[in-house]
Amino acid sequence: MKRFPIVFLSTLTIWTGLARSQEAAALQDVASVLGRAAAFFQPGDHAGRSLHWRGELVAVRGLDDKLKGSRFELHLEPPGNLKLTVEAAGRTVTLCQDGPLSWIHVPDKNLLIKGDPAVPRFSTRPDSVSPVRLDLLRLPVNRAQLALLPAFVQVSTTPAAAGTTDYTLTLSPAAAALEWAASRPTVTATVADGSSWPQVIRFEDQKRSFTINLSPAVTGPPLPASTWQPNPKVDDRTETVAAAHLEKFLRVTLASLGSRIPTLPPATGERWLVATEGKGRLEDHDGTRVIFLSGSPEEMGHQHGVLLKKEIRRVVDRILYGVGVGSSFDKGRWFFGEIEEAVRRTGPFIDPRHLTEMDAMAGAAGLETEEVRLANFFPELFHCSGFALLGKATGDGKLYHGRILDYLRGAGLEENAVVMVNRPDTGHAWVNIGYAGFTGSVTAMNEKQLSIGEMGGRGEGSWDGKPMAQLVREVMERCATLEEAIEFMRRTPRTCEYYYVIADAKSGKAAGLKATAGIFEVVHPGEAHPELSNPMPDTVLLSAGSRYDELVKRVKAGFGGFDAVKSIGLMTPPVCMTSNIHSVLFAPGSLDFWVANADSQNVASETRYTPYNLRQLLDAAPAPAKPKVP
């Protein structure tokens, strides 16, 4: 939420100025008001004054009902002091900037995080000190940019109620802004005549709305120095961290707000070449990214970093500085400290070739090697489902392997989805259904007709083994049969609890696996297991709770008649969760596979499934370049 309080305040200043203008519709007057709003936050303009303001969220639609009743309290003293306390969903968080220092306090989790510009960004790199600091009071746009806003925003004022002199001010997208504001957001503010601040703010678009009631803002002399100091409890844990990490967390979080992924139209079979790099290339297949990587680890990493530079940087930002740092406030532990410890402990078990590939990718994408390595190890606590249907369960005699990934929808992964066709100089060729920047895998199939998907369990913190995503990749590159895959995974040191479905079309077999650091159990089709009731012949069904019950119910209803279309139908809600970001069906016998990715409106299983064939992808010549439009 980078500089949200200032964006919020500057917007309110704009509203107030417009409401008091008799010529609000005139662009030149609007531009003048906007310019004065920007000037309010310039250092020195309001030295010696402070602001204290409170508000409450009184109505919500299309959002979590727990947010209703949320409160905020803001203390502001330009040019360098701001403290925002938010009480929402039973939790209190305080964010404060005290000149060059900053801190975040989460009393419910006994956590106080202090940002220090002198602390290195990475514990393994003492030279990674960054002078960046939080600057919550700096407006994120300049006066020239603000002056252009009236061309994109329609503004109107009406009396708030008959017999009063209060105004209701309405802001909505102008015609020039409808393309990027497709949800048609509207903001209204009720401002008392003669007041400097609104009393009520309401936001509404096609899917959601909320209303905030505001108390009168109190302005006065500078506040006591103690206002800007944290007040931790005796048992609070204090973490002193790189200020650059906090700054980037806020910046990345704000940048992710409002990102929109369009719904894909029906597939037409179009293929276009986007770019090439060495032996690698990037293509557009019916509006989806397909990247072809080939050669040594250095070559594949370099191709990946060059061809998907923008997407990789976006994923690393969202995963490390958005979701990762944000998780600290829920867990009560500093994310970077945890993930660096995990990477240290798993390091001896990772194939050096894969680390070389990550480092080459980081260099090509313009990122620190530590960032790419940490992002690739990001704890994959998936809550997923998977199944294999074979023999008498199907109507066409084929083996089908379905994989549902329920994880972090809306965090920025799905807009950077990519099908990766990997042809390493050592091992089998394989396809990775994943996201830009990730060299490991959670959903994959190789040229030997072997497919795999996983489902996360418990045991976070058991890191003395090979990370799950790297284990899956090595199965694809090293193993040609189900038996080889099981034996490789059995003898490899493992980390946390994961469940796997592996299918082998050559033998017509499949299996489910439960694997932890110390447990390795194999469940064959139709076999019973304490965690999987109602086993069915010729099937391997993995899920949890009511989703598992629904999956079993659907398979029983369609038993003996499953084909590709009906197998895809098994993955729709409620078998998938609202966090479903990708769903894949493999037919490893023919090397066909179908991929669906979530968009802004729909979970993956309710979007278009794009068809691919691994053999055709491996053998195909590069697609033609897309004709240029005059």
Side-chain angles (χ1 to χ4, degrees):
M1 296 178 292
K2 174 74 171 119
R3 303 185 186 107
F4 169 76
I6 299 313
V7 175
F8 188 57
L9 286 173
S10 59
T11 303
L12 298 180
T13 306
I14 293 167
W15 289 339
T16 302
L18 289 173
R20 296 171 66 180
S21 170
Q22 298 301 312
E23 300 176 280
L27 292 182
Q28 60 268 33
D29 289 349
V30 173
S32 176
V33 171
L34 294 175
R36 293 197 301 273
F40 179 85
F41 299 101
Q42 297 302 314
D45 287 359
H46 283 259
R49 295 185 58 189
S50 66
L51 170 72
H52 182 203
W53 206 16
R54 298 174 185 266
E56 180 178 359
L57 191 65
V58 295
V60 296
R61 175 181 63 82
L63 300 170
D64 190 338
D65 289 339
K66 293 179 181 178
L67 293 176
K68 185 176 180 180
S70 299
R71 295 180 175 87
F72 79 84
E73 181 176 11
L74 176 69
H75 292 87
L76 177 66
E77 190 176 298
N81 293 82
L82 179 149
K83 184 167 77 171
L84 176 67
T85 298
V86 178
E87 299 177 21
R91 179 161 299 168
T92 301
V93 178
T94 299
L95 167 67
C96 183
Q97 176 186 337
D98 180 14
L101 303 178
S102 57
W103 52 267
I104 299 176
H105 188 207
V106 190
D108 308 282
K109 293 294 180 177
N110 301 107
L111 180 66
L112 173 63
I113 296 176
K114 294 183 176 181
D116 186 340
V119 173
R121 295 174 59 202
F122 310 108
S123 62
T124 56
R125 287 261 314 277
D127 64 336
S128 62
V129 173
S130 171
V132 173
R133 70 177 201 183
L134 285 182
D135 191 2
L136 296 169
L137 284 85
R138 181 169 64 87
L139 199 64
V141 292
N142 58 40
R143 298 189 191 194
Q145 291 170 319
L146 283 172
L148 294 174
L149 283 180
F152 298 94
V153 179
Q154 291 181 332
V155 182
S156 62
T157 57
T158 57
T164 72
T165 56
D166 296 348
Y167 288 91
T168 294
L169 182 66
T170 302
L171 289 83
S172 59
L178 291 180
E179 181 177 349
W180 57 265
S183 61
R184 306 295 178 93
T186 300
V187 178
T188 59
T190 301
V191 185
D193 186 32
S195 172
S196 299
W197 306 96
Q199 298 173 317
V200 181
I201 299 173
R202 177 176 173 80
F203 171 90
E204 182 173 14
D205 66 11
Q206 294 175 342
K207 296 187 64 176
R208 62 192 68 84
S209 66
F210 59 84
T211 301
I212 301 175
N213 284 352
L214 299 162
S215 64
V218 177
T219 57
L223 298 169
S226 59
T227 304
W228 317 111
Q229 300 302 311
N231 186 27
K233 298 182 293 184
V234 175
D235 55 347
D236 280 356
R237 176 180 179 177
T238 300
E239 297 263 15
T240 302
V241 307
H245 285 164
L246 296 184
E247 186 274 339
K248 199 160 189 178
F249 161 66
L250 295 174
R251 176 156 48 89
V252 167
T253 302
L254 178 62
S256 67
L257 297 177
S259 61
R260 182 172 174 271
I261 307 170
T263 299
L264 291 173
T268 63
E270 283 190 339
R271 294 172 55 235
W272 304 111
L273 181 65
V274 178
T276 62
E277 179 64 27
K279 292 182 285 188
R281 68 184 189 271
L282 176 65
E283 294 185 356
D284 180 307
H285 289 209
D286 275 316
T288 69
R289 299 182 191 89
V290 180
I291 190 171
F292 297 78
L293 306 175
S294 179
S296 67
E298 293 91 341
E299 290 174 314
M300 292 177 66
H302 179 78
Q303 294 158 18
H304 195 162
V306 170
L307 294 171
L308 291 176
K309 179 176 182 178
K310 178 182 67 175
E311 291 83 359
I312 292 169
R313 294 175 67 90
R314 192 159 55 202
V315 166
V316 168
D317 279 354
R318 298 280 183 87
I319 290 300
L320 289 186
Y321 303 103
V323 178
V325 173
S327 71
S328 305
F329 313 125
D330 182 59
K331 292 182 176 182
R333 303 186 300 273
W334 179 236
F335 166 74
F336 270 89
E338 277 200 306
I339 198 169
E340 287 186 320
E341 170 67 9
V343 169
R344 183 188 67 79
R345 289 168 55 185
T346 59
F349 304 94
I350 299 177
D351 188 332
R353 289 171 53 88
H354 298 164
L355 294 176
T356 298
E357 184 177 332
M358 292 178 203
D359 294 349
M361 181 204 309
L367 293 168
E368 301 283 356
T369 57
E370 289 81 5
E371 289 178 309
V372 169
R373 289 191 180 195
L374 293 174
N376 265 277
F377 186 80
F378 185 79
E380 294 129 327
L381 303 180
F382 301 119
H383 304 280
C384 318
S385 302
F387 60 82
L389 308 172
L390 54 146
K392 296 180 180 179
T394 69
D396 54 14
K398 295 182 178 180
L399 188 157
Y400 293 105
H401 176 188
R403 191 277 191 272
I404 300 168
L405 174 58
D406 292 328
Y407 186 57
L408 288 180
R409 179 172 172 237
L413 286 175
E414 57 268 46
E415 66 181 295
N416 301 290
V418 60
V419 172
M420 303 181 191
V421 182
N422 298 292
R423 197 192 296 267
D425 59 1
T426 299
H428 308 309
W430 61 291
V431 63
N432 181 13
I433 315 304
Y435 304 93
F438 285 98
T439 63
S441 181
V442 296
T443 308
M445 179 174 67
N446 70 14
E447 61 181 338
K448 300 300 182 180
Q449 301 175 307
L450 192 69
S451 57
I452 186 170
E454 62 71 50
M455 173 180 169
R458 296 161 295 182
E460 182 181 348
S462 178
W463 301 125
D464 297 304
K466 190 180 294 293
M468 176 273 293
Q470 301 299 320
L471 179 62
V472 169
R473 172 176 181 162
E474 291 192 38
V475 168
M476 290 289 94
E477 293 182 344
R478 294 168 178 253
C479 303
T481 68
L482 176 63
E483 290 75 17
E484 289 178 3
I486 292 175
E487 184 57 28
F488 176 76
M489 296 179 75
R490 187 194 306 274
R491 70 173 187 265
T492 300
R494 300 174 300 274
T495 57
C496 310
E497 180 181 79
Y498 291 100
Y499 300 82
Y500 303 86
V501 174
I502 307 178
D504 177 6
K506 295 184 302 300
S507 62
K509 297 178 181 179
L513 308 179
K514 176 182 178 179
T516 69
I519 297 173
F520 192 83
E521 298 174 351
V522 181
V523 179
H524 296 287
E527 286 187 351
H529 186 275
E531 296 179 42
L532 300 171
S533 58
N534 301 317
M536 298 181 62
D538 289 339
T539 68
V540 176
L541 308 177
L542 262 65
S543 190
S546 60
R547 291 179 289 119
Y548 174 75
D549 296 335
E550 178 64 22
L551 179 59
V552 170
K553 177 182 175 182
R554 292 180 180 184
V555 171
K556 282 184 177 180
F559 193 86
F562 284 105
D563 56 14
V565 173
K566 292 178 181 177
S567 297
I568 284 174
L570 292 174
M571 296 189 274
T572 57
V575 172
C576 74
M577 302 169 69
T578 56
S579 56
N580 174 215
I581 61 172
H582 86 218
S583 295
V584 181
L585 181 71
F586 294 112
S590 60
L591 295 183
D592 288 311
F593 62 103
W594 296 261
V595 179
N597 287 290
D599 58 35
S600 295
Q601 303 295 323
N602 308 287
V603 297
S605 293
E606 294 187 323
T607 64
R608 187 192 81 191
Y609 281 80
T610 305
Y612 309 88
N613 180 276
L614 178 55
R615 177 48 53 196
Q616 292 175 4
L617 291 172
L618 290 170
D619 294 344
K626 190 172 186 178
K628 293 183 178 180
V629 178

